[in-house]
Amino acid sequence: MAETYNFLVVDDSPTMRQLITFALKRIHNCQITEANDGVDALKKLSGNKFSLILLDINMPLMDGLKLLSILRGNPTYNDVPIVIITTEGADADREKAMKLGANAYIAKPIQTNELLKVVRGFLKIDE
Amino acid sequence: MSKDEGDIKEVDLSKKVEDFLQVFKKGEEFTQELLKENERLRYKIVKLEEDIRAGKKGSDNSQTKLLKDTISQLEEEKNYLTNKFREVEAENKDFAARYVEVEEENNNLANLYVASYQLHSTLDVQEVLKIILEIIINLIGAEKFALMVLDEEMNELVAAAAEGIDKRDIPNAKVGEGLVGTVAKTGESFFEKDLEKKRDELSEPLVCIPLKIKEHVIGVIVVFTLLLQKKNFTRVDYELFSMLAGHAATAIFSSRLYAQSERKLSTIQGFLELLSGKRK
């Protein structure tokens, strides 16, 4: 039976969430859950297992870096790949996120092909 | 020895000589026969050898011809297959290039679809403005920018929303004056060709896009700076700007009309309630 991939897309912008969802739907057998900030993401994470998390940094209530450090401090989510998608393109921001435990860092505006390549790479999915 | 004994010995000797001669003659005849037979056999051998040689040559020739035919047929097949392979290879390259193109076009269309879908997903003016900002920051990659709308009474453009900069810091622009005012007057988009050029951010923006409903300009999108990682504009950026020029304008216009109609409806309802005596 084909494997099902569960993605969690965390971004406060509905436009971005829709765009990322559009891109991820090209991967067969995937289910996408959307969250509009860190707090909402934590609610959706409880009791659910995700194959990969796509996370924005600048969000209200709880930003992406805070959520990232919470998830990396929790053994349940330690091995879930986290891809940061953000407008912050500076090297310092990238390094900060990678030090906190992000697996990849993509600066906006995103290129769909690049995003899919990264996601497929983590999940070992052939194109 | 007596004479008789001598005669007898002579007769025996001549008989022996005669016998020997006969034997010799027979031997000579036999030898000649052997020689003849030998010659005949040699002749036969030569003939057979010739026959064999002639026969083998014939068979060699036909086999060579057969092999040559097979080789030339295989050569033809090989050439055909090589040409076919080249054709298929060229086609594959063409398909791969077209696939990349279609993929890119598909991604661009997805961006445009999402932007358009979001723009028309609400009739709330503030939400529409927020969505326009989201599109410009997330899909185009602008850092500091403003959405200026036309105040028809004052005939000037006023910042209705901004990102990366306080909208109160953005000066109003009279229609026809300055870069923003000129774009509003002419309805023509402006793109700074040299994105690296040193300039005053507020008075020399990188991009000005008029928001038009048919030929009527209702506002201007003004981009002052781009995100650090955004080095230039791509084809889809121009398409997004072009889409925004029309769709953002209609989204703003219809949300304003909706807000006005809601206000009027509530006024009329209040008035009717007053007339019917429900309100006191």
Side-chain angles (χ1 to χ4, degrees), chain A residues 63-119:
Chain A
D63 69 26
L65 293 180
K66 177 75 183 160
L67 179 64
L68 176 62
S69 57
I70 290 173
L71 294 180
R72 286 307 181 227
N74 185 334
T76 315
Y77 309 111
N78 231 346
D79 58 345
V80 179
I82 298 178
V83 178
I84 300 287
I85 299 176
T86 178
T87 51
E88 311 299 331
D91 289 342
D93 296 309
R94 181 184 296 265
E95 278 166 26
K96 195 174 171 187
M98 298 308 271
K99 266 186 188 167
L100 282 170
N103 297 85
Y105 194 95
I106 299 173
K108 291 179 190 174
I110 58 162
Q111 301 296 314
T112 309
N113 287 347
E114 186 196 351
L115 173 70
L116 285 174
K117 198 177 168 186
V118 169
V119 171

Side-chain angles (χ1 to χ4, degrees), chain A residues 11-16 18-20 22-23 26 56 86-91 107-113 116 120 127, chain B residues 99-100 103-104 106-107 110-115 117-118 130-131 134-135 137-141 227-230 234 237:
Chain A
D11 200 307
D12 60 323
S13 155
T15 311
M16 264 323 280
Q18 193 183 15
L19 195 69
I20 294 170
F22 239 78
R26 295 209 199 157
D56 183 22
T86 178
T87 51
E88 311 299 331
D91 289 342
K108 291 179 190 174
I110 58 162
Q111 301 296 314
T112 309
N113 287 347
L116 285 174
R120 283 181 175 134
E127 273 188 52
Chain B
Y99 177 79
V100 171
E103 187 86 344
E104 201 184 315
N106 200 7
N107 295 339
N111 283 11
L112 291 169
Y113 169 79
V114 168
Y117 178 91
Q118 290 293 334
K130 195 177 152 218
I131 289 165
E134 270 185 20
I135 292 168
I137 189 168
N138 290 312
L139 273 63
I140 292 171
L227 291 170
L228 187 69
Q229 62 273 22
K230 181 83 180 177
T234 59
D237 292 330

Side-chain angles (χ1 to χ4, degrees), chain B residues 2 13 29 46 48 60 94 151 156 175 212 248 272 279:
Chain B
S2 67
L13 193 64
E29 278 174 7
V46 168
L48 279 170
D60 276 358
D94 189 40
D151 180 335
E156 63 180 12
V175 174
K212 293 194 288 189
L272 286 174
R279 261 194 200 178

Side-chain angles (χ1 to χ4, degrees), chain B residues 231-248:
Chain B
K231 303 291 179 202
N232 47 34
F233 291 119
T234 59
R235 193 164 60 87
V236 72
D237 292 330
Y238 294 110
E239 283 174 16
L240 276 165
F241 278 130
S242 162
M243 189 275 294
L244 278 173
H247 287 241

Side-chain angles (χ1 to χ4, degrees), chain A residues 17-38:
Chain A
R17 290 202 303 270
Q18 193 183 15
L19 195 69
I20 294 170
T21 300
F22 239 78
L24 293 176
K25 276 183 181 168
R26 295 209 199 157
I27 294 170
H28 294 295
N29 298 317
C30 78
Q31 282 179 353
I32 300 154
T33 306
E34 296 181 18
N36 49 31
D37 57 55

